[in-house]
Amino acid sequence: MAPAQSDQQQVAGISTRAIHHGESFAAETGAVMPPIFTSSTFAHGNPQGFDYTRSGNPNFRILESVLAAVESCQFATVFASGVSAITAIASTLQAGDLVLCEENLYGCTVRLFEQVFSRFGVQTAWLDFTNPSALDAIAVQKPAMIWLESPTNPLLKVIDLAAVCDAAAAEKIPVVVDNTFATALLQRPLQLGATLSLTSTTKYINGHSDALGGVVCSDDPHWQQKMVFAQKALGLQPSPFDAWLITRGIKTLPLRLERQIANAAAIADQLASHPRMHWVRYPFRSDHPQQAVARKQMSGGGAIVTASLNADQSQTYAFCKSLSYFTMAESLGGVESLVCHPATMTHASVDPDVKRKLGIDDGLVRFSVGCEDLADLSADLNQALKQL
């Protein structure tokens, strides 16, 4: 559990908070960077209260402190992956509970609700939360929880988080926001009224595609107790090494994201001008359906670009494979650029009829734009587009 922020952390800028993690648990050595505490167990009665790494480790506590400082919240609990963080929250639900979900969620979130938690009696209803009618459904259906992403994966829909949270608060319903695509640098779900802010730290927070992790942030001590319990009781804790890598990675997050956002905005404009594109989605482009909402609640458009190609699956695959600097791979948020075919990769487990309804078709591609030189990324796209 991360402690409350100090006065110094509260007034410091976000780049400073990302770098200065406070306690390193190595004061006697003078180490500037924290060591990796690989021990699985700790001597009983030690001053810091550690006993067994499943229920707490110095590397967890260091990372939790940094993430709470960056999120400007009271509590952060780290997990083994983004899916582990999702599992921790869902484990608080009971048989018969209804969760109102944004219809376009991360494929693994959909799979967990539809194929795992449904077997324990948890019910889900899928709504388009960009439609104002979804707000009416909150009062009518009175769910146990509301689950959102914004921007969504992979369609980059932008949900008016404050509006949803206000409607949920009137019914005393907790709201979970998956903030992975934006991170706390671009969007603060808790400040917009969310109960829990969830992030896959595998992605932008770590930024180097070499560690798995997740975090749930909150200002509610009761929810924090639930998250700590889930971390320990369900064995959802990260490895100390991964926590150490993510602590190191977050130090450069502001620098990385600044470059990635600039590249992504330019790439979106480049793709949008090509005749083989049905459409291009980027939250801060004027043609994005929720651009006004995006600019209201986000400080930047992010580094994901989604495009619909006028192409079948084989042509789309050939396009992805012909790219040199955009590796065709799962995940996102690293310094390297990636391209993904959601219909057969991140959302392969989603029902085909649902994918068609949402618009996740064979011509849809998702670009995670990295930190490479823009000229190289642009030239790479041009040569691949010529082969379509």
Side-chain angles (χ1 to χ4, degrees):
M1 179 179 72
Q5 300 173 63
S6 68
D7 291 340
Q8 183 179 3
Q9 286 175 313
Q10 289 176 346
V11 300
I14 197 164
S15 295
T16 303
R17 300 200 304 270
I19 292 171
H20 292 275
H21 50 73
E23 176 65 74
S24 69
F25 299 97
E28 66 279 4
T29 67
V32 174
M33 293 293 109
I36 304 171
F37 293 86
T38 58
S39 181
S40 62
T41 191
F42 301 85
H44 181 70
N46 65 82
Q48 297 293 340
F50 295 109
D51 51 23
Y52 189 60
T53 280
R54 177 161 48 80
S55 58
N57 178 284
N59 292 113
F60 304 174
R61 198 177 294 177
I62 293 167
L63 178 56
E64 288 169 345
S65 177
V66 178
L67 291 169
V70 169
E71 193 90 20
S72 296
C73 67
Q74 291 297 308
F75 308 107
T77 309
V78 294
F79 297 95
S81 65
V83 170
S84 296
I86 295 166
T87 300
I89 299 172
S91 72
T92 67
L93 298 166
Q94 302 180 43
D97 281 350
L98 171 67
V99 183
L100 284 188
C101 297
E102 158 58 36
E103 63 181 4
N104 175 213
L105 291 182
Y106 174 44
C108 288
T109 307
V110 176
R111 181 170 59 196
L112 280 169
F113 277 119
E114 292 287 330
Q115 300 183 38
V116 179
F117 302 129
S118 62
R119 291 185 290 168
F120 298 94
V122 175
Q123 304 171 43
T124 49
W126 305 88
L127 302 177
D128 177 5
F129 273 93
T130 64
N131 189 324
S133 65
L135 300 182
D136 298 328
I138 295 173
V140 172
Q141 300 195 43
K142 297 188 185 303
M145 182 177 287
I146 296 171
W147 201 289
L148 307 174
E149 285 179 14
S150 188
T152 66
N153 183 5
L155 297 173
L156 299 183
K157 293 167 62 178
V158 178
I159 313 301
D160 189 334
L161 298 179
V164 176
C165 291
D166 286 347
E171 303 294 332
K172 298 183 179 179
I173 298 167
V175 177
V176 179
V177 176
D178 187 329
N179 200 37
T180 297
F181 274 24
T183 78
L185 267 69
L186 304 184
Q187 181 172 265
R188 302 288 180 84
L190 299 180
Q191 294 181 9
L192 295 170
T195 313
L196 301 173
S197 176
L198 179 157
T199 305
S200 171
T201 56
T202 305
K203 312 301 195 298
Y204 290 102
I205 301 297
N206 178 53
H208 292 80
S209 302
D210 57 6
L212 295 180
V215 66
V216 177
C217 293
S218 177
D219 284 318
D220 187 325
H222 298 294
W223 272 104
Q224 172 63 7
Q225 290 172 10
K226 293 178 181 180
M227 293 301 95
V228 172
F229 176 81
Q231 183 195 60
K232 178 179 180 178
L234 299 178
L236 299 175
Q237 78 288 342
S239 76
F241 184 44
D242 279 355
W244 181 85
L245 282 171
I246 296 166
T247 301
R248 183 182 66 168
I250 196 173
K251 294 177 187 297
T252 59
L253 172 61
L255 295 171
R256 289 185 281 106
L257 201 53
E258 181 179 4
R259 176 63 171 267
Q260 288 170 296
I261 290 171
N263 282 350
I267 293 299
D269 290 342
Q270 176 183 349
L271 291 171
S273 68
H274 197 275
R276 290 297 296 271
M277 296 292 164
H278 284 308
W279 49 259
V280 171
R281 289 286 180 269
Y282 183 71
F284 272 28
R285 273 184 57 87
S286 61
D287 57 358
H288 190 287
Q290 295 91 41
Q291 185 224 20
V293 177
R295 290 187 177 273
K296 179 180 71 171
Q297 70 187 25
M298 299 173 66
S299 61
I304 300 293
V305 178
T306 300
S308 176
L309 279 64
N310 181 15
D312 60 24
Q313 181 173 305
S314 63
Q315 292 171 320
T316 305
Y317 262 59
F319 166 77
C320 293
K321 289 294 188 181
S322 66
L323 291 162
S324 297
Y325 293 121
F326 292 85
T327 303
M328 190 175 183
E330 299 269 1
S331 200
L332 55 104
V335 292
E336 74 290 340
S337 292
L338 301 176
V339 63
C340 170
H341 185 249
T344 58
M345 295 171 68
T346 58
H347 288 67
S349 62
V350 176
D351 183 272
D353 290 337
V354 174
K355 283 188 284 194
R356 280 191 291 272
K357 174 178 177 291
L358 295 175
I360 303 175
D361 57 28
D362 287 338
L364 191 75
V365 291
R366 187 194 73 192
F367 298 91
S368 173
V369 183
C371 295
E372 299 92 343
D373 288 312
L374 177 59
D376 294 324
L377 295 178
S378 179
D380 192 23
L381 285 169
N382 281 335
Q383 64 82 24
L385 288 166
K386 287 178 181 178
Q387 300 180 47
L388 274 175

